[in-house]
Amino acid sequence: MNEIAPEMWAKVPPGAAMAAAPPPAPTYGQEVRRRLWANKPAVISIVFIVALVLAAFFGPYFSPHTYFRQDLKLSNIPPAFETYAVAQTDGSVTRFFLNASNFNLYEVDAEGHVLGLLRGGRKDILKKNQPYEFGDQAVTLDYSKLPARLLLEDGTELRPSGWSWNRTYLFGTDQLGRDILVRQLYGAQISLTVAFVATLVNFFIGVFYGGIAGYVGGRVDAVMMRIVEIISTIPLTLYVVLLMVVFDSGLLSIIVAIGSVFWVDMARIVRGQILSLKSQDYVAAARTMGASPARILTRHLLPNSIGPIIVTLTMLIPSAIFIESFMSFIGLGVTPPLASWGSLTSEAVETLRTYPHQLFFPAAAISLTMFAFNFLGDGLRDALDPRLRG
């Protein structure tokens, strides 16, 4: 046997072997994460949902206002307004804005903070005007012709000095003088709580109901699916309304009503997944090794169906938010002074022509939240599909 001379041995430089080796293949979780982060609408939706949850549950603590405190003197104030300035002989300037919808004047400072309602003289109902005194300056509010005008003593019209944002009430106030922003945040709390709790209940009921029906099969599957079909034939909205009438209105009643009928779609999807997976070889191997049906279902079948389950769960959340908003809109939701997006929308419809901003904020919140969860569900569906590569 020929021996190799020592001088023929060469030391491998550090890292040479690692550099020559191919990089390890990415895991399924890494592929899912990469595809999800490459989906821009899904990423934006995640950021929006996280920001919404943080704002809803922590935002009210940073506000000086509450969702129930009323101040009728400051009702129906818009989030932005045109300010007027009246200079007096002592050098001071009085700033105010005209709420053209209720013909009231409100004093503001230079930054846009609302200081209070200005009290004028006696209204002349016949001539439709009202005098105001600002030190040595007199201004007359004339609403005989619309839009209303502010006239100085010489009859000239007082022109606005510019637009200003409402720094005291960022979203304005409602017809009872309550801060719309805080009520919007509390409404988000209720709407999101109802959606997440009801969806979580639907998750457990639908997953195990559909899993048992799909795995056992036969007559048990037929009976269980007939029950699902009976529930599905009743319109969901009608069923929820009937349950709400029985349980009375309230947060708990909404959760029970939605959670008791909202699981049928999840059960059908899980049943279909289990039917396609229970004939796989690994299930037969587990059954041969003596694994119980419960273990096979919970340790083998359901984990391999987690992709469609998560996507369906994400899609159920906006549906639950919409149903809760609809129930509150027709008066079967939370009771005053509590607020949800649906009740805020219902209150704002009454003053839509005069104060459209009161309807804009809750309607925009419902729309954006439903868009965000739908985009997230689409992104998760694409990311969890192992057939999609690249």
Side-chain angles (χ1 to χ4, degrees):
M1 183 176 180
N2 296 331
E3 294 184 359
I4 300 176
E7 59 270 12
M8 297 181 63
W9 290 93
K11 195 173 185 179
V12 179
M18 296 296 295
T27 63
Y28 175 70
Q30 292 172 339
E31 280 290 318
V32 170
R33 192 159 52 247
R34 182 186 64 81
R35 290 196 294 265
L36 181 61
W37 288 117
N39 192 322
K40 294 297 188 297
V43 174
I44 295 174
S45 299
I46 292 174
V47 174
F48 174 81
I49 293 170
V50 172
L52 177 64
V53 172
L54 293 177
F57 289 93
F58 298 102
Y61 296 103
F62 297 95
S63 175
H65 310 289
T66 62
Y67 71 92
F68 56 85
R69 186 170 63 87
Q70 304 177 11
D71 190 351
L72 296 179
K73 297 190 298 298
L74 301 177
S75 61
N76 296 317
I77 294 180
F81 38 73
E82 283 187 307
T83 58
Y84 296 82
V86 176
Q88 302 181 19
T89 55
D90 59 358
S92 62
V93 178
T94 302
R95 294 180 174 84
F96 58 91
F97 73 91
L98 167 63
N99 192 338
S101 302
N102 54 17
F103 306 121
N104 286 331
L105 300 184
Y106 300 88
E107 185 179 3
V108 296
D109 59 14
E111 288 77 24
H113 295 93
V114 179
L115 303 180
L117 176 67
L118 291 175
R119 297 295 184 182
R122 185 180 180 83
K123 287 185 178 181
D124 191 332
I125 304 299
L126 296 178
K127 296 182 179 180
K128 295 185 178 180
N129 59 43
Q130 183 178 13
Y132 286 85
E133 296 290 339
F134 300 102
D136 53 355
Q137 293 285 341
V139 177
T140 301
L141 171 62
D142 180 17
Y143 52 93
S144 59
K145 296 181 180 179
L146 298 180
R149 302 179 301 163
L150 292 170
L151 304 177
L152 299 175
E153 291 181 289
D154 56 2
T156 59
E157 183 177 352
L158 181 64
R159 295 295 180 179
S161 57
W163 282 89
S164 179
W165 291 104
N166 190 339
R167 299 299 180 88
T168 304
Y169 303 99
L170 297 180
F171 285 7
T173 59
D174 62 6
Q175 62 269 25
L176 297 178
R178 297 172 295 191
D179 182 47
I180 293 180
L181 175 58
V182 174
R183 291 181 62 79
Q184 182 90 359
L185 295 178
Y186 271 97
Q189 282 188 21
I190 292 178
S191 296
L192 291 176
T193 300
V194 169
F196 281 112
V197 173
T199 305
L200 194 63
V201 173
N202 298 330
F203 170 76
F204 287 105
I205 296 177
V207 166
F208 286 102
Y209 191 94
I212 293 172
Y215 182 76
V216 176
R219 186 173 299 177
V220 175
D221 179 36
V223 173
M224 295 178 72
M225 286 300 103
R226 297 298 83 75
I227 295 174
V228 170
E229 291 175 0
I230 292 173
I231 297 177
S232 301
T233 54
I234 303 175
L236 180 60
T237 304
L238 176 60
Y239 193 86
V240 173
V241 169
L242 293 176
L243 288 177
M244 292 291 296
V245 172
V246 173
F247 289 112
D248 295 329
S249 300
L251 180 60
L252 181 60
S253 301
I254 296 177
I255 295 175
V256 172
I258 297 178
S260 60
V261 298
F262 211 50
W263 51 270
V264 291
D265 291 335
M266 178 70 77
R268 285 174 169 172
I269 291 174
V270 173
R271 173 182 175 270
Q273 290 293 316
I274 298 302
L275 287 175
S276 63
L277 292 175
K278 71 177 184 178
S279 60
Q280 299 294 323
D281 293 339
Y282 64 88
V283 178
R287 191 181 297 113
T288 303
M289 296 176 65
S292 63
R295 182 178 178 83
I296 294 175
L297 184 62
T298 57
R299 299 297 296 273
H300 298 284
L301 294 177
L302 290 180
N304 285 282
S305 306
I306 195 64
I309 290 175
I310 292 178
V311 173
T312 305
L313 198 66
T314 308
M315 294 297 188
L316 287 177
I317 293 177
S319 300
I321 292 176
F322 180 79
I323 292 177
E324 183 279 326
S325 300
F326 176 73
M327 293 298 103
S328 297
F329 182 82
I330 62 177
L332 295 176
V334 295
T335 56
L338 292 176
S340 69
W341 286 339
S343 62
L344 291 176
T345 304
S346 177
E347 295 172 359
V349 167
E350 301 174 0
T351 57
L352 173 61
R353 292 178 178 270
T354 311
Y355 310 106
H357 67 277
Q358 296 181 9
L359 178 62
F360 170 79
F361 294 112
I366 296 173
S367 302
L368 291 176
T369 303
M370 295 188 68
F371 274 124
F373 278 105
N374 280 311
F375 284 138
L376 178 58
D378 291 339
L380 287 173
R381 180 190 58 198
D382 297 339
L384 292 169
D385 191 346
R387 295 170 296 181
L388 296 178
R389 296 289 178 180

